[in-house]
Amino acid sequence: MTRKFNFYAGPATLPLPVLEQIRDEFVDYKGMGLSLVETSHRSKVYDEIHHQAMALVHELLNVPDRYKVLFLQGGATLQFAMVPLNLLGAEDHCDFTVSGAWAKKALADTTKIGRVNVLFDGAAENYTALPDAASLQASPDAAYLHLTSNETIGGIQWHDWPDTGAVPVVADMSSDILSRRVPVEKFGLIYAGAQKNLGPAGATIVIIRDDLLAKSRDDLPAYLNYKIHAKKDSMYNTPPVFAVYALKLVLDWIKTNGGLPEMERRADERADAIYNVIDTYSDFYRSPVAKKDRSKMNIVFRLPTEVLEKQFVSEAEAENMLGLKGHRSVGGCRASVYNSMPLEGARALASFMEMFVAKYG
Ligand SMILES: *Cc1c(COP(=O)(O)O)cnc(C)c1O
């Protein structure tokens, strides 16, 4: 098989050794005579995988002990509702930064549940720039401040974090979790769907500080209540066993490949390879995003015409590079280069871009 370079935004490429291990173990898990996915989630064998995966999240992200790691379902999308349901009391309000498509969705659900004060909205620049993190002044009585660490569609990423004093920061890190070091102690809650950087779709990671867990409202239906999931170690109901198993293998892969310092270094290298071509041929390629806010995960760029953009995507496909069409809401092209994208993939794309400009520029 020719393995293609997969630049899709999510579900996204996975490390080949992980896919191969899943293949090898899938039908007969470690000689048990059955597959892990047909085993009870209460079995010892699943229990170990589940807890090892949680421990790996703690270890790799350097999560302090006063935080709990949860594995939930419903994607980051369910967290858009669960965060305010649990943390936003009837008398409270939260602060929001609206940085693009995903922040807007989080905001839309939050406003259905409680009061929101928008601190920043990038609409005027069409969500191509972020404010200085240090300039964000959370209201002192806000229940929390919400931000989206990486806007997967617009291609902008926070590279600094706000200082909010006692106001907890809640972050949607779906598209850059574990791609760089993050000071977890600066956050009250972090959530992320696994299917971009960490595995197949089906598992959502929530990292929540004890004092916020204690605030979770008791009148919520069981599945929506963080406290119930935490008390049962995310086994209140059937967890997504396959997704957690695959997540655990990806976490092992991150660990054996040098952990977050190495993931960060690789992300820099991949992103530099592609942005360098964009900047070198700036009369042909154009990044709509403010340089200081460029995403290292989702690289958005335009070509001189839409006809050329279409041509670019289809010629790239013929060269085994998939998923380069931009999201329909912003157009153009987008290369998603998550943790599992090998450097050769980014280099192949950069060379292809140079070749393309030589041909059509
Ligand atoms: C993909 C994505 C989501 C939505 O995730 P689902 O798992 O599909 O609900 C939310 N936020 C960000 C930043 C994303 O990239």
Side-chain angles (χ1 to χ4, degrees):
M1 158 190 157
T2 308
R3 186 160 162 81
K4 302 190 175 182
F5 289 123
N6 168 0
F7 294 96
Y8 282 111
T13 192
L14 289 170
L16 183 58
V18 168
L19 293 174
E20 288 170 339
Q21 187 172 348
I22 292 171
R23 177 200 59 203
D24 293 346
E25 294 180 339
F26 193 74
V27 175
D28 182 8
Y29 188 77
K30 303 205 180 221
M32 289 196 318
L34 75 172
S35 175
L36 183 70
V37 297
E38 41 183 11
T39 310
S40 167
H41 61 289
R42 307 282 175 203
S43 66
K44 187 163 175 280
V45 61
Y46 177 72
D47 194 75
E48 260 175 28
I49 292 169
H50 188 90
H51 286 96
Q52 282 166 356
M54 282 177 174
L56 279 163
V57 173
H58 266 280
E59 178 185 341
L60 291 167
L61 251 185
N62 216 353
V63 178
D65 288 343
R66 61 183 188 283
Y67 291 73
K68 186 96 184 154
V69 173
L70 309 178
F71 294 151
L72 305 180
Q73 300 189 61
T77 301
L78 183 58
Q79 296 312 307
F80 296 164
M82 274 179 78
V83 168
L85 283 171
N86 281 271
L87 304 183
L88 199 53
E91 306 301 313
D92 289 340
H93 79 271
C94 65
D95 285 346
F96 240 81
T97 54
V98 189
S99 47
W102 288 115
K104 276 198 264 185
K105 288 199 168 163
L107 172 68
D109 275 359
T110 307
T111 52
K112 287 177 188 157
I113 292 160
R115 285 190 302 130
V116 182
N117 169 43
V118 172
L119 277 191
F120 164 78
D121 189 326
E125 306 93 41
N126 203 19
Y127 303 104
T128 55
L130 292 168
D132 203 3
S135 73
L136 285 180
Q137 294 295 322
S139 19
D141 54 344
Y144 58 88
L145 161 69
H146 185 281
L147 62 82
T148 308
S149 62
N150 182 69
E151 283 284 358
T152 322
I153 293 173
I156 62 176
Q157 187 175 28
W158 290 93
H159 297 297
D160 278 303
W161 310 114
D163 231 325
T164 51
V167 176
V169 178
V170 172
D172 175 2
M173 295 197 184
S174 293
S175 51
D176 65 357
I177 189 159
L178 292 174
S179 70
R180 54 175 166 170
R181 287 166 287 184
V182 162
V184 174
E185 63 282 359
K186 285 197 163 196
F187 297 84
L189 188 153
I190 291 168
Y191 63 93
Q195 72 273 22
K196 277 122 188 178
N197 262 310
L198 297 182
T204 307
I205 296 176
V206 174
I207 302 167
I208 180 170
R209 209 172 60 202
D210 284 347
D211 59 309
L212 296 185
L213 204 45
K215 268 183 78 175
S216 286
R217 280 167 33 190
D218 288 318
D219 59 347
L220 292 172
Y223 197 87
L224 301 179
N225 190 329
Y226 289 133
K227 224 185 276 176
I228 288 180
H229 290 295
K231 209 180 287 169
K232 300 285 183 183
D233 267 348
S234 303
M235 294 254 223
Y236 173 73
N237 71 329
T238 315
V241 290
F242 176 75
V244 172
Y245 157 68
L247 167 67
K248 193 252 169 197
L249 297 184
V250 173
L251 295 170
D252 280 336
W253 177 85
I254 292 175
K255 187 173 167 177
T256 51
N257 278 270
L260 296 203
E262 178 62 13
M263 292 301 117
E264 188 172 308
R265 197 195 62 74
R266 291 182 187 182
D268 285 347
E269 210 170 341
R270 286 189 301 261
D272 284 350
I274 297 166
Y275 283 121
N276 276 341
V277 177
I278 293 172
D279 293 338
T280 306
Y281 303 98
S282 57
D283 45 359
F284 190 80
Y285 296 110
R286 186 171 50 83
S287 157
V289 173
K291 229 173 190 171
K292 67 174 183 28
D293 304 318
R294 283 174 170 180
S295 169
K296 294 181 180 184
M297 295 283 106
N298 308 97
I299 301 173
V300 171
F301 55 98
R302 304 298 311 245
L303 275 68
T305 66
E306 286 185 15
V307 173
L308 278 170
E309 286 167 346
K310 254 193 156 152
Q311 186 72 14
F312 180 91
V313 171
S314 75
E315 288 193 23
E317 250 174 51
E319 298 290 326
N320 292 329
M321 287 175 266
L322 303 184
L324 289 163
K325 190 173 182 298
H327 191 271
R328 59 195 178 280
S329 64
V330 297
C333 299
R334 170 177 55 170
S336 297
V337 284
Y338 299 119
N339 278 350
S340 313
M341 170 59 68
L343 178 60
E344 303 85 75
R347 287 211 178 117
L349 176 60
S351 309
F352 173 79
M353 290 169 76
E354 288 179 327
M355 192 277 296
F356 195 86
V357 72
K359 194 163 155 193
Y360 295 102

